[in-house]
Structure formats: C-alpha cells, structure tokens
C-alpha cells in the first residue's frame, strides 16, 4: 500500500444541481467480463455502509460499463440499486451472455476456418466474433428500460434531479483506432488527448454493448457510422474521465489481482505456454494493467502539487484515490469451476490450454457461472471491509489520504 497526504479540500454541502463540481465523488469501474461480479461485492459493502450515498460521477468500461449504466439509471437509493444489480449477477449464466449451443459454436468455428483458408475469397462467409452475443443483448434489454431511440431510461431523470452529474462509457473505434468516451451529463466540456477523446451522447444500449465487445471473441457493435469494440483496448488513463468530469475523490474498482512478490515470481505454466496462458496475459496487459500505471501517475502528481503554490499548478488539483483490487487470484479460482461450463464450450477452452496454466485469466473473463460469481461478490465484500477506513476517508473529504494497493 502506498499512502500520501495531499492538500486539504474544503468540504461542501451536497450538490443541488446536476453539473459536475470539483468536490464530486466518482466511482470508476473497469472491465474483466465475469470478473466484474467482484465490483458488485464491493458495491454491496458500500451500500450497506453508506446506503444513502450519491455517486455523482460514474465511469465504466467493458463489463464495468454495464454496472455503471445500471447505477446511473436506477431510480432508487444506492442500497436498492445494488440489491437489484446483485440479483442480476447472482443468476447470470454463460448462455445469457453468448450462445454456447453446438450449432452456434461449430458454425462460427467453421466460418472462421473457411475464411482463413480461402485467402479472403468472396465465396467465404463474412465473420465477426467467435461467439454470438445476441443473448447478451436480450439480457440487457430485460435489465434496462429503453426509450424510443434505444437510450437507457432513468439517466436523464437522475441528472435533472441532481443525483447524477455525469455517466461516462468508454469504447474503442475500429474505424479510427481511437478511444472515445461517451458522456451523458449537463454542462460537460469535451476533451481530447492523444488517441482518445470525449463525445457527448445520450447513452444507449448500443454504447454499452460496444464497450463490452471483447476483440475477436465478441462481434463489434455499430454506433452511428462507425464500429466499436471493447473500451479497454486503448484505455491508457482509466481515471482520466472521472477527473475531467470534476471528481476530486475517486473510488476505483479494478478486477486485476496483483499478488505478492513471491507469487509474481512463480511460473504459471510448465513447458511451452498454451494459447490460454498467452491470451490471458495479453488481456491483462491490454485491459487491466493500466489502472496501476494511472494510479501511480496520480500519486506522483499529488506529491508535486502538494509542494507547489496554487499559482504554479496550471489548473491541476489533487485527487483522492482508493484503488480496490481482489485480494485473491480470481483467475486461479476460475479453474476450480471450469467443469461447470457447458460441455462443448468447456471442450474448446481445454483445447486452448485452460488446464495447462495455474491461473487461467482468460477463463475467468468467461466464467459466467452463478457459483463463481457469488464467490467473487463475497471476496469483494470482504476486501471492502478490510479497507473500510480508507474507503470512509475518501467518501468523507475531511480526511485526505490517497491509497493504492
């Protein structure tokens, strides 16, 4: 754990408008597929500890975008919102996310194989993802109430009443190669950085689905005239959207297990690494590791600002951060539940080496099994309880402690 004490920020009364303010509390939810159930466990503890807490700025990417949009659109208290979100995750199964029946899986494999050997010949059928995610669209349609244009109902209302300042959902444009942060809020100023920019929008189901579209595995999603995939592909600054939207206090929920130094030095495979091991490391590096780099940069900036007079800060401000992460290797735990997956899908994963690595991180992204998901929620609740003082400190800005673990 690395702690610093930056400059104090004046505590203010709860906001009465929906416009972002520089004392807003933000929650940042990253991706991880099924691992996002861990976030729900953290939220359950938070709702129990602070049932009337208002999360004014909410950002999400990939599976975290689903949780973010749900929180932003819910009309009840945080406690009731988390209860409803928990009920969804505790009953979620893999066939509610993508098709795992024999006809669909073999058909997709056949089309990809034919496409590869055809040399791009026009006789080969077009391919998109390795699996059919139509079930996820149906599942989310049952979760959200949608307006006539597909917009998620409830977000506008929460903005109008001042309960929500902004919701941000991140995706990656396959058309331009840039990340886009779709933002719904009031009095929002757009921003642009190298390879990423914001765009104001009314968040729709397609925005959320685009953010969750794991590259190659899930088909890309069309929004407007462009095609988008998982927002974690080029998400080099996961905390940036929350800071742009006015937050000076951030609760960030990562699904990446870091492990002890001893664990990090232990090999996860014996012999040549199977595709599952390589794919898991790629997914971690692309989607989840940037939280640590961004948190470290934020800590350094806070140190610099703490020793700089206001006139030399160039508009920058200190930001309180508590970054939560699993205290257990949830990738390794996924291996204990692999036998519960549908037979053909399980067979394909084993062919890719699911049993050839001690920590099958790719498997954990796809482990939509109620028993496994409930375990992740329980771990999330226990982890939050273990760090309750740090979380309480960032919620109550009288104490200014930045924590990263």
């Amino acid at each position: 754990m690395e702690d610093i004490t930056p400059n104090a920020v004046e505590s203010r009364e709860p906001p009465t408008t929906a416009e972002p303010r520089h004392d807003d509390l933000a929650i940042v939810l990253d991706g991880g597929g099924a691992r996002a159930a861990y976030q729900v466990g953290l939220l359950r503890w938070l709702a129990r500890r602070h049932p009337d807490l208002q999360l004014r700025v909410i950002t999400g990417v990939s599976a975290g975008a689903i949780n973010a949009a749900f929180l932003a659109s819910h009309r009840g208290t945080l406690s009731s919102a988390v209860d409803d979100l928990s009920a969804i995750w505790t009953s979620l199964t893999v066939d509610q996310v993508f098709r795992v029946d024999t006809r669909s899986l073999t058909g997709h494999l056949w089309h990809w194989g034919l496409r590869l050997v055809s040399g791009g010949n026009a006789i080969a059928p077009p391919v998109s993802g390795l699996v059919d995610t139509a079930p996820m669209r149906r599942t989310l349609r049952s979760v959200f109430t949608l307006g006539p244009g597909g917009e998620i109902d409830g977000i506008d209302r929460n903005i109008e009443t001042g309960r929500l300042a902004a919701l941000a959902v991140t995706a990656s444009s396959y058309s331009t190669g840039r990340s886009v942060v779709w933002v719904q809020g009031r009095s929002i100023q757009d921003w642009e950085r190298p390879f990423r920019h914001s765009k104001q929008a009314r968040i729709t189901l397609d925005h959320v689905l685009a953010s969750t579209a794991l590259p190659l595995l899930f088909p890309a999603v069309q929004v407007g005239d462009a095609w988008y995939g998982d927002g974690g592909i080029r998400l080099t600054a996961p905390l940036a959207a929350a800071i742009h939207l006015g937050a000076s206090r951030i609760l960030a929920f990562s699904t990446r297990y870091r492990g002890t130094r001893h664990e990090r030095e232990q090999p996860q495979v014996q012999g040549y690494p199977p595709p599952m091991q390589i794919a898991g490391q790629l997914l971690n590096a692309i989607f989840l590791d940037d939280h640590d780099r961004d948190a470290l940069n934020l800590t350094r900036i806070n140190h610099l600002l703490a020793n700089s007079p206001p006139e030399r800060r160039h508009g920058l401000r200190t930001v309180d951060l508590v970054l939560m992460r699993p205290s257990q290797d949830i990738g390794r735990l996924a291996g204990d539940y692999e036998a519960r997956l549908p037979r053909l899908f399980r067979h394909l994963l084993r062919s890719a080496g699911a049993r050839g690595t001690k920590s099958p991180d790719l498997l954990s992204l796809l482990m939509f099994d109620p028993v496994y998901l409930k375990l992740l929620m329980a771990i999330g609740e226990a982890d939050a309880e273990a760090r309750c003082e740090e979380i309480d400190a960032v919620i109550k800005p009288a104490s200014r402690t930045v924590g990263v673990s």
Side-chain angles (χ1 to χ4, degrees), residues 33 52 81 98 101 111 145-146 153 184 195 207 221 244 247 265 270 277 282 287 296 309 311 317 319 364 396:
D52 298 319
F98 50 87
D101 57 280
H111 288 164
T145 301
L146 304 180
D153 189 40
Q184 185 168 347
F195 302 109
H207 289 114
V221 176
H244 280 297
E265 292 175 350
Q270 297 295 329
Q277 173 70 10
L282 283 173
F287 297 117
L296 179 60
E311 64 272 14
R317 65 185 184 278
V319 178
S364 68
K396 302 172 183 177

Side-chain angles (χ1 to χ4, degrees), residues 233-264:
I233 294 176
R234 200 186 286 271
L235 189 62
T236 56
L239 305 174
I243 296 173
H244 280 297
L245 293 171
S248 283
R249 296 172 291 135
I250 297 176
L251 282 173
F253 293 173
S254 172
T255 61
R256 178 74 157 104
Y257 175 69
R258 188 168 65 181
T260 65
R261 175 176 294 182
H262 175 73
E263 288 176 316
R264 293 194 293 268

